[in-house]
Amino acid sequence: SSGINAEYGGLFREHEIYRIDHYLGKEMVLNLIILRFGNELLRSVWNRDKISNVVITFKEDFGTAGRAGYFDTSGIIRDVMQNHLLQILCLVAMERPVSVDASDIRDEKVKVLKFIKPIELDDVVIGQYVGNPDGKTDDARTGYKEDPGVPADSKTPTYAMAKMHIDNDRWAGVPFILKCGKALNERKAEIRIQFKDTPSDIFGNMCRRNELVIRVQPSEAVYCKMNVKSPGMSFNTVESELNLSYHDRFEGLDLPDAYERLILDFILGSQTNFVRTDELAEAWRIFTPLLHKLDAGQKEPVQ
């Protein structure tokens, strides 16, 4: 990465470079800044005093789908976690920017990354999928090592979960958990912010933790899990949801593809949703020591 950046730096200035991470062009990822800084209800509770943990999840319900040759040289951490999920983390955790100008937003994202220490082996779980004999499709029945192009002794992770901490005043002590994998039970990308327990619960400990969930894909939505009275004569609590489903709320909605949006941004000269050089360097600082240890076989994937 640093070598490529050095080559680019000799040919282009920073304002001429547009590094695409297509997740930055997704509707619900773009929505994070407005959700956070346009709603006082959320802005006032977005901190370690109210939030217990943040989980950012990426799941695919298929395997390498013809990309085994590429994937085996990279693995799920390089393919998804170090870029897509870390970019989402930055938008969830960053401080309020001075403005929505590209430089102001990207400055705040870099500040967040600087507060994250390199990930340790003990903070990571890795796995590699095997075939399901009862699977309904050939893809489901095919394990990762059975895919043409994958070496029989491959240790490349197809699943990873990592715990990270942001050591600043807002987030100290709050775990950020990133999870991603292939050949799982469903296709889904979401951000789940879980709030702390209700103090001094007067309802017999029946109240569950509130959660704010931002579903990135599929079926874009924002919903909040809350405790309400169960219908009828009882006075028990039950968990329900305040649900904003984009396709239900906005009729005739036709969301642009992430790449469409980013290519338009490029044509318009807007760099807000592109990755800056120092941002990329900080991302690799966090993950490179871990990746070197995994490449050296210091931790084997669970199967």
Side-chain angles (χ1 to χ4, degrees):
S1 173
S2 59
I4 294 173
N5 286 334
E7 291 288 334
Y8 286 160
L11 299 172
F12 304 99
R13 297 179 181 177
E14 184 64 43
H15 72 271
E16 297 174 317
I17 299 173
Y18 292 77
R19 294 181 186 85
I20 286 185
D21 182 328
H22 76 279
Y23 259 63
L24 290 176
K26 289 186 176 291
E27 181 72 20
M28 300 311 295
V29 175
L30 290 165
N31 204 357
L32 282 170
I33 291 178
I34 295 178
L35 278 174
R36 284 198 55 199
F37 303 115
N39 295 285
E40 183 65 18
L41 175 67
L42 296 180
R43 195 173 68 85
S44 58
V45 298
W46 212 264
N47 55 63
R48 61 188 171 94
D49 295 328
K50 300 298 183 183
I51 291 177
S52 170
N53 62 79
V54 178
V55 181
I56 303 171
T57 302
F58 170 97
K59 300 168 74 174
E60 287 182 335
D61 58 359
F62 55 88
T64 51
R67 298 169 64 234
Y70 156 76
F71 188 87
D72 198 65
T73 63
S74 58
I76 196 68
I77 295 176
R78 290 183 178 92
D79 194 42
V80 176
M81 185 179 287
Q82 181 271 340
N83 39 56
H84 304 335
L85 300 194
L86 194 62
Q87 285 295 319
I88 293 175
L89 180 148
C90 288
L91 294 170
V92 169
M94 73 181 197
E95 295 298 316
R96 180 178 178 175
V98 175
S99 73
V100 293
D101 183 76
S103 60
D104 290 332
I105 289 176
R106 298 198 293 181
D107 283 348
E108 295 302 332
K109 289 166 68 181
V110 172
K111 288 178 185 177
V112 168
L113 294 173
K114 287 184 175 181
F115 280 110
I116 302 175
K117 295 177 181 177
I119 302 172
E120 300 291 340
L121 272 178
D122 289 343
D123 293 326
V124 175
V125 174
I126 57 172
Q128 187 184 86
Y129 71 84
V130 297
N132 177 5
D134 299 323
K136 297 180 180 180
T137 65
D138 289 340
D139 187 59
R141 291 188 292 269
T142 302
Y144 178 68
K145 291 180 182 178
E146 298 165 343
D147 196 323
V150 176
D153 60 349
S154 174
K155 305 296 185 185
T156 299
T158 63
Y159 173 87
M161 179 176 66
K163 181 180 69 174
M164 308 168 71
H165 284 91
I166 302 170
D167 296 323
N168 62 9
D169 289 344
R170 180 181 295 274
W171 296 113
V174 177
F176 281 73
I177 300 168
L178 310 186
K179 302 192 294 184
C180 53
K182 291 184 172 292
L184 298 174
N185 61 323
E186 61 181 334
R187 174 179 175 264
K188 179 174 71 174
E190 70 174 23
I191 306 148
R192 189 173 292 265
I193 294 100
Q194 187 176 82
F195 293 87
K196 292 185 175 181
D197 291 321
T198 302
S200 303
D201 183 359
I202 64 173
F203 302 104
N205 294 321
M206 291 190 295
C207 290
R208 303 184 67 176
R209 287 183 173 182
N210 299 138
E211 288 185 346
L212 178 67
V213 182
I214 298 125
R215 189 188 304 132
V216 177
Q217 66 181 30
S219 304
E220 295 85 353
V222 181
Y223 60 93
C224 184
K225 292 189 173 184
M226 301 187 69
N227 297 296
V228 299
K229 177 188 172 299
S230 60
M233 298 295 292
S234 75
F235 198 64
N236 295 327
T237 66
V238 63
E239 186 180 58
S240 188
E241 297 173 355
L242 299 178
N243 191 353
L244 168 60
S245 173
Y246 265 51
H247 290 274
D248 291 340
R249 172 64 179 83
F250 303 105
E251 295 183 7
L253 184 64
D254 184 18
L255 295 175
D257 177 78
Y259 283 108
E260 287 182 78
R261 195 189 306 267
L262 292 174
I263 291 171
L264 178 60
D265 283 347
F266 163 70
I267 293 171
L268 297 175
S270 172
Q271 290 190 304
T272 302
N273 301 312
F274 295 86
V275 181
R276 204 166 64 186
T277 300
D278 55 347
E279 190 179 344
L280 185 63
E282 287 297 325
W284 283 118
R285 175 190 61 79
I286 294 166
F287 279 95
T288 296
L290 170 69
L291 290 168
H292 285 171
K293 292 173 184 176
L294 293 178
D295 291 343
Q298 295 185 29
K299 193 163 199 167
E300 300 233 344
V302 178
Q303 293 190 337

